[in-house]
Amino acid sequence: RGIDAGGPRCPGNGGAKALAASPRLKRLRALQVADCRIGGPGGAALAASPHLANLESLSLNSLGWGTRAFAEFLAAAGLPALR
């Protein structure tokens, strides 16, 4: 199971927060978000989501994040199954 939330399907900050809060993500194995302006609040929500623990594949491209924001996301993310 996977979700491609990039480009025209970009959820933005509000959508990223809603996505992160959804218990349906517990079965999600792959998440791709590209060409999307998810800022700090959306990224923080995804990183803190307890529902992404089974995520095996994560693709984050062209989000407008700098190196520091991306490093903070990875440090905060509870993604034990990520390969």
Side-chain angles (χ1 to χ4, degrees):
R1 296 211 129 140
I3 293 177
D4 180 354
R9 295 173 302 281
C10 175
N13 274 320
K17 288 179 183 180
L19 187 67
S22 174
R24 292 184 173 187
L25 292 184
K26 288 181 179 180
R27 291 181 273 157
L28 190 68
R29 299 292 181 261
L31 176 61
Q32 177 177 340
V33 182
D35 299 318
C36 191
R37 295 291 181 201
I38 293 177
L46 289 172
S49 175
H51 308 302
L52 293 176
N54 293 318
L55 198 64
E56 296 173 353
S57 173
L58 176 63
S59 177
L60 302 172
N61 297 306
S62 302
L63 299 180
W65 293 358
T67 305
R68 180 177 173 191
F70 188 71
E72 288 174 357
F73 173 85
L74 290 176
L79 303 172
L82 200 62
R83 298 178 188 189

